Amino acid sequence: MQLTKRLGLLAAAAALTATTAVFAAPTYINVLTGGTSGVYYPIGVAISQLYGQIDDARPSVQATKASVENLNLLQAGRGELAFALGDSVADAWNGVEDAGFKAPLKRLRAIAGTYNNYIQVVASAESGIKTLEDLKGKRISVGAPKSGTELNARAIFAAAGLSYDDMRRVEFLPYAESVELIKNRQLDATLQSSGLGMAAIRDLASTMPVNFVAIPAEVVQKIDNAAYQPGVIPAGTYDGQDEDVPTVGITNILVSHDKVDEEVAYQMTKLIFDNLDALGNAHAAAKAIKLESAAENLPIPLHPGAERFYREAGVLE
């Protein structure tokens, strides 16, 4: 009788173990992006759809204020993958308080360098703004306060010998709201940091005549940050833009944190590079993502899972 009871208890324990295995805890993968009218969001949605292939994964997408908020959320464990500008990632790692980081964010780990953001300064043609100097006395929006875009604006204006005090009015608004105010003649210009072909600027350029303001290479060279490199908005990127526009290019980085499981991070990285065509279909900016350069010149350590993928792919020794 005692033996029968013991066997019954063992059988019940085995059944409980099997049931627990079947109902394993899900793996939540929250992808932190930016505003819904920017480039991070559609690419983030496409990535989250790919992550549905990971066993027990529960992917989701969160629209945010982009780089600075994303990095702080990752440090707090409130996301598993985030888009961020390279200069913001470096500032986060080093704890640059003026950039929005009260302490060094040492939990951050890189997944991949992706495509460049380009600083795009666009003004209504009727404002007469054609150069950075022309922004003096005008009304401009520079992105949400201490967002990656707004930090870019501060750096570029300082290099050009300008400050917010030179402007008639400065608004701190995201892409879509900035464009709407230009359409309504309530703003003269906006500075946006985004991939090429950004929806809000496409909308503006198709609605009214606009000027794209050049950021000359000599201004870029005065910015004391290696993340800022000379770039070009190619002619024809937007309606009415018939010439190349010199500007600033800044690498975007996909970032995770050290509490994300190595195997999950490996799968997250692999799915991105196995499906680059799908990401390019989500937004043309993603067509610039290249496996060969994804692990180069990163300001933070690679996640061990991402590092394993790159070694297997032959792009890291």
Side-chain angles (χ1 to χ4, degrees), residues 284-303:
K287 293 178 181 178
I289 301 174
K290 305 295 181 188
L291 173 61
E292 296 74 19
S293 58
E296 294 178 352
N297 302 317
L298 298 170
I300 59 174
L302 277 168
H303 193 290

Side-chain angles (χ1 to χ4, degrees), residues 217-235:
E218 56 266 28
V219 171
V220 183
Q221 290 166 3
K222 292 179 182 177
I223 301 173
D224 186 21
N225 189 320
Y228 291 73
Q229 296 294 324
V232 172
I233 304 171

Side-chain angles (χ1 to χ4, degrees), residues 93-113:
W93 185 255
N94 293 316
V96 178
E97 189 166 0
D98 285 347
F101 306 106
K102 295 180 179 179
L105 306 190
K106 295 301 185 181
R107 290 183 56 187
L108 301 181
R109 297 292 183 269
I111 294 294

Side-chain angles (χ1 to χ4, degrees), residues 31-32 40 43-44 47 51 74 81-84 89 109-115 252-256 268 272-273 279 289 298 300 302 310:
V31 181
L32 306 170
Y40 287 172
I43 299 176
I47 288 174
Y51 288 173
L74 283 181
L81 185 75
F83 290 79
V89 175
R109 297 292 183 269
I111 294 294
T114 59
Y115 61 92
N252 284 292
I253 301 174
L254 284 169
V255 186
S256 187
M268 287 164 57
I272 288 170
F273 289 99
L279 300 187
I289 301 174
L298 298 170
I300 59 174
L302 277 168
Y310 292 124

Side-chain angles (χ1 to χ4, degrees), residues 21-283:
V22 171
F23 295 103
T27 299
Y28 293 100
I29 305 177
N30 189 24
V31 181
L32 306 170
T33 60
T36 56
S37 60
V39 175
Y40 287 172
Y41 188 79
I43 299 176
V45 169
I47 288 174
S48 74
Q49 291 169 346
L50 296 175
Y51 288 173
Q53 300 175 44
I54 298 174
D55 288 345
D56 300 315
R58 299 279 180 86
S60 58
V61 181
Q62 183 175 340
T64 67
K65 294 177 182 177
S67 298
V68 177
E69 181 180 11
N70 289 351
L71 296 168
N72 282 310
L73 287 171
L74 283 181
Q75 178 73 13
R78 294 171 58 192
E80 285 65 47
L81 185 75
F83 290 79
L85 283 164
D87 59 328
S88 292
V89 175
D91 287 343
W93 185 255
N94 293 316
V96 178
E97 189 166 0
D98 285 347
F101 306 106
K102 295 180 179 179
L105 306 190
K106 295 301 185 181
R107 290 183 56 187
L108 301 181
R109 297 292 183 269
I111 294 294
T114 59
Y115 61 92
N116 274 358
N117 257 27
Y118 293 87
I119 306 303
Q120 301 170 66
V121 184
V122 57
S124 63
E126 66 185 32
S127 71
I129 298 170
K130 295 182 179 179
T131 68
L132 290 173
E133 186 71 15
D134 292 337
L135 291 170
K136 287 184 176 180
K138 303 297 185 180
R139 304 165 298 173
I140 186 170
S141 175
V142 293
K146 291 192 176 179
S147 63
T149 293
E150 199 255 320
L151 296 177
N152 296 160
R154 285 195 232 169
I156 290 160
F157 290 161
L162 300 171
S163 74
Y164 290 162
D165 290 339
D166 293 316
M167 316 299 172
R168 175 179 163 192
R169 189 169 96 235
V170 178
E171 296 286 353
F172 300 90
L173 299 168
Y175 305 139
E177 288 89 337
S178 301
V179 163
E180 287 304 311
L181 289 180
I182 294 175
K183 286 183 188 177
N184 296 331
R185 274 71 179 179
Q186 294 173 277
L187 280 180
D188 301 304
T190 183
L191 181 149
Q192 305 289 357
S193 177
S194 180
L196 295 174
M198 195 257 284
I201 295 180
R202 282 207 317 268
D203 175 37
L204 180 64
S206 66
T207 302
M208 62 192 297
V210 296
N211 295 329
F212 287 84
V213 178
I215 302 173
E218 56 266 28
V219 171
V220 183
Q221 290 166 3
K222 292 179 182 177
I223 301 173
D224 186 21
N225 189 320
Y228 291 73
Q229 296 294 324
V232 172
I233 304 171
T237 300
Y238 299 100
D239 288 352
Q241 183 219 336
D242 299 327
E243 297 180 351
D244 289 352
V245 179
T247 189
V248 178
I250 305 171
T251 299
N252 284 292
I253 301 174
L254 284 169
V255 186
S256 187
H257 60 78
D258 60 1
K259 299 301 182 184
V260 172
D261 178 77
E262 180 179 330
E263 178 61 26
V264 172
Y266 172 85
Q267 294 294 336
M268 287 164 57
T269 311
K270 187 175 190 301
L271 282 166
I272 288 170
F273 289 99
D274 284 353
N275 295 277
L276 288 179
D277 287 346
L279 300 187
N281 290 334
H283 196 285

